Amino acid sequence: MTTLFDRLVALLEDEAARFRVIEHSAEGRSDLVAAVRGTAPGQGAKAMLCKSKDDDCTLVLAILPGDKKLDFKRVAAAAGIKKAKLASPEEAQRETGCVIGAIPPFSFSPTIKLIVDPELVESFDEIAFNAGQLDRSMILDSVDYVRIAKPLLHSLCV
């Protein structure tokens, strides 16, 4: 069975992306995993699965710098919905195949809209993220990330 990590590696290799993998102890908090990776907290791509408060069909994977807080009004505006809220941990795992904290900043589902705060990719030459597992991270060139993931760029932070 192909894991999400394997899919990420294959995608990045196929696209000739500049990236590296770091194996580390399982860590769920942005600040702690940044220290383990040797990256700045703001370099971490925090992935938060959100959904519409009005219908459970609209899903948004909001990606923001690891040291910032999500503004749900901005998520709703970017996604074209009235109100956004966080998906439950169970919904996030069902929709992404990952536990909270391990969701990478890529959408492999046509039903999940990928929206990235531009501050993440404009402030750092590389982004860091958990690659489908809490104990494995990737450091990826920011330009390559935007080229490959093709996210909608929209301000999402408080």
Side-chain angles (χ1 to χ4, degrees):
M1 185 176 100
T2 305
T3 66
L4 181 58
F5 174 79
D6 296 330
R7 283 181 75 184
L8 281 167
V9 169
L11 173 65
L12 297 177
E13 286 177 346
D14 288 349
E15 294 289 339
R18 294 159 288 185
F19 76 100
R20 60 192 180 280
V21 174
I22 299 173
E23 306 222 2
H24 52 76
S25 58
E27 202 46 80
R29 285 191 21 215
S30 301
D31 56 337
L32 298 178
V33 77
V36 171
R37 290 178 187 141
T39 56
Q43 235 175 316
K46 188 190 311 187
M48 301 178 79
L49 188 68
C50 301
K51 64 181 192 173
S52 170
K53 277 190 174 180
D54 302 315
D55 69 61
D56 281 349
C57 303
T58 305
L59 295 172
V60 176
L61 188 58
I63 311 298
L64 61 155
D67 59 352
K68 302 286 184 196
K69 295 210 179 309
L70 192 61
D71 182 331
F72 289 98
K73 288 182 179 165
R74 289 182 180 208
V75 172
I81 56 178
K82 284 186 204 161
K83 288 188 171 177
K85 67 178 183 177
L86 212 51
S88 72
E90 296 77 26
E91 290 167 323
Q93 183 155 11
R94 182 180 68 238
E95 297 296 336
T96 67
C98 300
V99 297
I100 298 282
I103 301 170
F106 287 87
S107 175
F108 288 103
S109 167
T111 62
I112 300 175
K113 188 180 292 190
L114 180 63
I115 305 176
V116 175
D117 190 296
E119 185 179 333
L120 174 68
V121 292
E122 291 169 1
S123 300
F124 298 97
D125 292 335
E126 294 178 319
I127 63 167
F129 55 90
N130 282 352
Q133 305 169 205
L134 290 173
D135 61 354
R136 201 176 266 178
S137 292
M138 287 183 172
I139 312 264
L140 172 62
D141 180 86
S142 297
V143 172
D144 287 342
Y145 168 65
V146 172
R147 174 177 59 84
I148 296 164
K150 297 178 180 57
L152 176 63
L153 296 172
H154 194 284
S155 181
L156 299 174
C157 300
V158 172

